[in-house]
Amino acid sequence: MSCVAVAVAGLWASPDAPRAIDASALGNPALLEHWLAALDDDTRLALCKEKRLATQVLLDTPVGILERRRDSQGNDWCRVVVPNQRSSLDPRGYPGWIPATQLAEGEGCLAVGTEAATVVTPVAWMQGLPQGRSLKLSFLTRLSVATPSSDEDLSRIWVETSLGRGWLPRGSVHLPDESFPAVAATLETLGRRFDGLRYLWAGNSSFGYDCSGLVHSLFAAIGIALPRDASDQVETGQPVELGERRPGDLLFFEKPDDTGRLVVDHVALYLGEDRMLHSPTNNARIECRRLGGSRYAEQLCAVRRYLSTPEAS
């Protein structure tokens, strides 16, 4: 079994998709914040317009390796699928390319379906790693819980990872028997913690989300697995009339593509009272805004429901 061995790995369109400015995101460790700080408006926008980045994958997430290749610079890459990110692009999971140096084999990797400690704060520092290292982790990173010892500090949760044994502050994680209530209020509370976070095309971590990455992560936090992309998400859930939406529903929006065909290209979480939470577009930031009177009201094409009863809102 193989898994991601950096805090957040990018899944790229091809080994030649990254540019020189992306180099700091490709190593081990991945210097994600350094990379994001170096991107200006144009280089961020190019990730989208040129479809360079496909999605992001968190530490210890299992992947299936399909192919290995060396790029023009002599760096080794793996074409993989990510089973926990469903996609119509591949029934095995989201497909793309990851630098081989950002993958680990076997020991420490979290098997699919394994119970784990889950980061539930926007970020959390894992400390106590070999050589005294520490690592800043994203919301929803899942790691195997280490076997406790008799003198365990109750303020810490020890975990076994592909990078070795480390610990996380107890308040930053849920253990396997802990969960958030699967209600609309939880989705809003979790989502509002990311107010102001800058949009990132293909972002699926709390260092930057795109629209579908944000809702994919919020619903995963309450135990509901959505596909990764908005175009696939709209094919799931219970269809709801546009005027019957309620808190916790997802709103989908459409625009013409390059051929003039209308396609779903945006998704938002409905909060009730004409409010929605979303990660709007390139070089904007996650926000809560009114739907009425906006361009989004004109583009709204579908509503989908995942919470089963009105009481769940």
Side-chain angles (χ1 to χ4, degrees):
M1 180 177 59
S2 302
C3 66
V4 172
V6 293
V8 181
L11 202 68
W12 298 84
S14 76
D16 296 315
R19 307 151 297 181
I21 198 171
D22 303 319
S24 57
L26 305 179
N28 190 344
L31 304 179
L32 197 69
E33 290 175 298
H34 178 82
W35 171 60
L36 293 172
L39 297 177
D40 60 18
D41 289 355
D42 290 338
T43 48
R44 275 180 175 261
L45 181 60
L47 289 171
C48 168
K49 292 182 68 174
E50 299 165 7
K51 300 296 187 288
R52 293 178 178 272
L53 191 63
T55 187
Q56 291 179 316
V57 194
L58 306 181
L59 177 68
D60 279 13
T61 299
V63 301
I65 297 178
L66 306 179
E67 178 184 351
R68 299 177 187 269
R69 184 190 300 177
R70 186 160 292 175
D71 67 17
S72 57
Q73 306 300 313
N75 301 306
D76 291 325
W77 286 75
C78 295
R79 185 166 70 90
V80 304
V81 289
V82 184
N84 76 347
Q85 294 188 31
R86 285 160 42 213
S87 173
S88 60
L89 298 171
D90 193 306
R92 296 166 293 184
Y94 213 101
W97 291 86
I98 290 179
T101 190
Q102 294 187 338
L103 296 176
E105 301 286 341
E107 187 173 353
C109 290
L110 183 68
V112 175
T114 299
E115 292 187 334
T118 303
V119 173
V120 294
T121 48
V123 296
W125 280 96
M126 180 168 61
Q127 303 180 64
L129 290 167
Q131 289 81 52
R133 292 177 298 158
S134 59
L135 191 64
K136 191 175 184 179
L137 302 181
S138 169
F139 177 60
L140 284 194
T141 300
R142 300 180 70 249
L143 305 169
S144 296
V145 180
T147 303
S149 61
S150 58
D151 60 350
E152 206 73 66
D153 182 342
L154 296 181
S155 69
R156 303 176 178 183
I157 297 297
W158 285 88
V159 291
E160 298 286 357
T161 80
S162 57
L163 304 178
R165 183 180 168 99
W167 62 267
L168 291 157
R170 177 65 181 91
S172 69
V173 298
H174 273 175
L175 293 178
D177 61 346
E178 299 171 331
S179 62
F180 288 116
V183 297
T186 303
L187 293 171
E188 178 170 2
T189 298
L190 293 175
R192 292 299 294 264
R193 297 187 308 181
F194 300 108
D195 271 342
L197 180 66
R198 193 170 183 184
Y199 175 99
L200 177 67
W201 168 260
N204 197 39
S205 78
S206 53
F207 297 97
Y209 288 109
D210 65 10
C211 64
S212 56
L214 176 63
V215 300
H216 176 265
S217 296
L218 294 179
F219 276 83
I222 62 169
I224 298 175
L226 300 182
R228 169 61 180 87
D229 291 338
S231 57
D232 292 331
Q233 292 168 355
V234 73
E235 301 298 329
T236 66
Q238 175 190 346
V240 175
E241 293 294 327
L242 301 188
E244 299 298 318
R245 55 187 178 267
R246 70 182 186 215
D249 291 345
L250 289 183
L251 310 180
F252 293 91
F253 306 87
E254 64 184 4
K255 288 193 302 187
D257 65 11
D258 292 339
T259 68
R261 182 173 64 96
L262 287 173
V263 295
V264 169
D265 79 331
H266 190 59
V267 60
L269 173 69
Y270 188 61
L271 304 179
E273 299 177 340
D274 197 44
R275 299 172 303 132
M276 69 181 201
L277 180 78
H278 69 149
S279 188
T281 186
N282 281 286
N283 300 324
R285 296 179 184 273
I286 293 174
E287 64 175 4
C288 174
R289 63 159 301 142
R290 294 283 178 185
L291 174 63
S294 71
R295 63 185 174 89
Y296 295 104
E298 300 172 359
Q299 297 168 357
L300 180 64
C301 66
V303 178
R304 297 290 182 263
R305 180 163 296 157
Y306 304 88
L307 306 179
S308 58
T309 66
E311 289 76 21
S313 64

